[in-house]
């Protein structure tokens, strides 16, 4: 029978309705679901992008999302066959909870299709070049690489579509009852702390690296790593898991956000990146105050910590290759004035009303660039005339 096979048992729910739980492949969820704007909240493009980035950057073959909640208003859309229930062709299940996860999966599928088509166009062009130059080994190698990429992307796309999600299906609800259920589901949502995510998420390889360093680096353990949502002015801990994540990202990539390329390299050789972070904190923390997380020190600022990592990134790799003595760049912090009265920092960043340095964290990296320039001047990498011009 055509349609979507639902190997499920419907249980009575509140006397007038039915409720079933079943595993459905992602490709079937994309084909047989719809969003009723009268029931759902407005789509958040940012939330969809975050989930899509999570799927793309971590190179997942399978999806392990939490259950999504769907509704089937028309009971007549179900047909019974010898091997179970079928959703008739053309019927749709209304999404009550999980629209951003489902739309993100559809978006990732579309992006992979576009990526495959882009590589296929390159393959066509390379085949034409190969006919003209059959003995050119470089063209042959490029062609093989492009063909390998297409096979890899297409295989991953199909595996993603064949993943199964746990689905709860409510049967027989009206539009008003769907609205009420949507409100009940989302009225008591508790978001997971970022610190818990970084502490226990083992899918992102950078989290595994950070967890290893936090557990075994003596200097970092002594300085203190916060496991709660954020650091307050009364907290003596030097950093937190979310700060460490951004600091490690800047040290290893020189950018704000980790890349798929970084994740791939860490998976191939995690011990190297664990050692790099160990070297960073083992060299840097002894040059900081005994309790670097105390608010009277600039070392407690997230902007400062990330900027030092961004500065060190310029010495960690040269032309893509690891530099053995890269930690010598951190010697500029030997004798550095970490107090809030540092005149050099006051001149560059100004002061707040409470007399402290204006080191409020900004995502624009404007302050980070000022810090990096200062550190480079201390290291002797910026000429006086260049510094004065800047």
């Amino acid at each position: 029978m055509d349609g979507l096979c639902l190997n499920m048992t419907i249980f009575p729910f509140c006397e007038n309705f039915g409720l079933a739980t079943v595993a459905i492949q992602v490709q079937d969820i994309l084909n047989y679901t719809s969003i009723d704007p009268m029931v759902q909240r407005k789509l958040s493009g940012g939330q969809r992008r975050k989930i899509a980035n999570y799927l793309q950057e971590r190179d997942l073959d399978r999806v392990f999302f939490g259950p999504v909640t769907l509704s089937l208003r028309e009971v007549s859309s179900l047909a019974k066959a010898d091997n179970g229930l079928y959703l008739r062709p053309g019927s749709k299940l209304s999404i009550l909870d999980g629209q951003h996860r489902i739309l993100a999966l559809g978006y990732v599928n579309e992006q992979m299709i576009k990526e495959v088509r882009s590589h296929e166009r390159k393959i066509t062009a390379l085949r034409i070049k190969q006919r003209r130059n059959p003995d050119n080994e470089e063209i042959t190698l490029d062609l093989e690489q492009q063909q390998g990429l297409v096979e890899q992307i297409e295989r991953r796309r199909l595996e993603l579509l064949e993943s199964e999600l746990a689905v709860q299906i409510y049967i027989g609800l009206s539009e008003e009852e769907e609205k009420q259920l949507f409100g009940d589901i989302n009225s008591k949502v508790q978001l997971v702390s970022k610190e818990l995510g970084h502490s226990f998420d083992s899918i992102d390889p950078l989290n595994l690296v950070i967890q290893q360093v936090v557990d075994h680096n003596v200097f970092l353990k002594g300085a203190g790593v916060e496991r709660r949502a954020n650091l307050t002015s009364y907290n003596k801990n030097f950093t937190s898991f979310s700060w460490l994540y951004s600091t490690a990202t800047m040290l290893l990539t020189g950018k704000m956000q980790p890349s798929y390329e970084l994740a791939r390299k860490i998976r191939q050789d995690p011990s190297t990146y664990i050692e790099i972070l160990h070297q960073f904190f083992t060299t840097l923390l002894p040059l900081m105050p005994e309790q670097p997380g105390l608010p009277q020190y600039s070392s407690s600022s997230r902007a400062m910590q990330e900027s030092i990592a961004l500065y060190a990134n310029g010495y960690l790799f040269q032309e893509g290759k690891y530099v053995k003595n890269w930690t010598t760049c951190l010697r500029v912090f030997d004798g550095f004035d970490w107090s809030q009265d540092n005149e050099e920092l006051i001149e560059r960043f100004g002061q707040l009303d409470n007399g402290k340095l204006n080191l409020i964290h900004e995502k624009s990296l404007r302050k980070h660039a000022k810090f990096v320039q200062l550190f480079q001047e201390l290291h002797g990498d910026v000429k006086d005339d260049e510094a004065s011009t800047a």
Side-chain angles (χ1 to χ4, degrees), residues 66-119:
V68 297
T69 305
L70 309 177
S71 172
L72 180 64
R73 294 178 188 173
E74 299 296 330
V75 181
S76 59
S77 297
L78 287 175
K80 194 171 184 179
D82 294 338
N83 55 344
L85 295 170
Y86 275 81
L87 188 65
R88 298 182 190 278
S91 301
K92 293 290 184 180
L93 296 162
S94 179
I95 302 172
L96 297 184
D97 185 56
Q99 68 164 341
H100 290 99
R101 281 169 281 168
I102 293 172
L103 290 172
L105 286 164
Y107 175 78
V108 170
N109 178 52
E110 292 170 2
Q111 291 300 110
M112 286 184 174
I113 291 174
K114 289 179 180 178
E115 194 174 352
V116 166
R117 288 174 180 168
S118 174
H119 287 298

Side-chain angles (χ1 to χ4, degrees), residues 361-377:
H361 187 265
E362 297 174 351
K363 292 185 177 180
S364 65
L365 295 187
R366 182 177 59 87
K367 288 177 181 174
H368 295 67
K370 288 185 177 181
F371 267 125
V372 170
Q373 182 185 341
L374 170 62
F375 302 152
Q376 288 175 341
E377 289 173 18

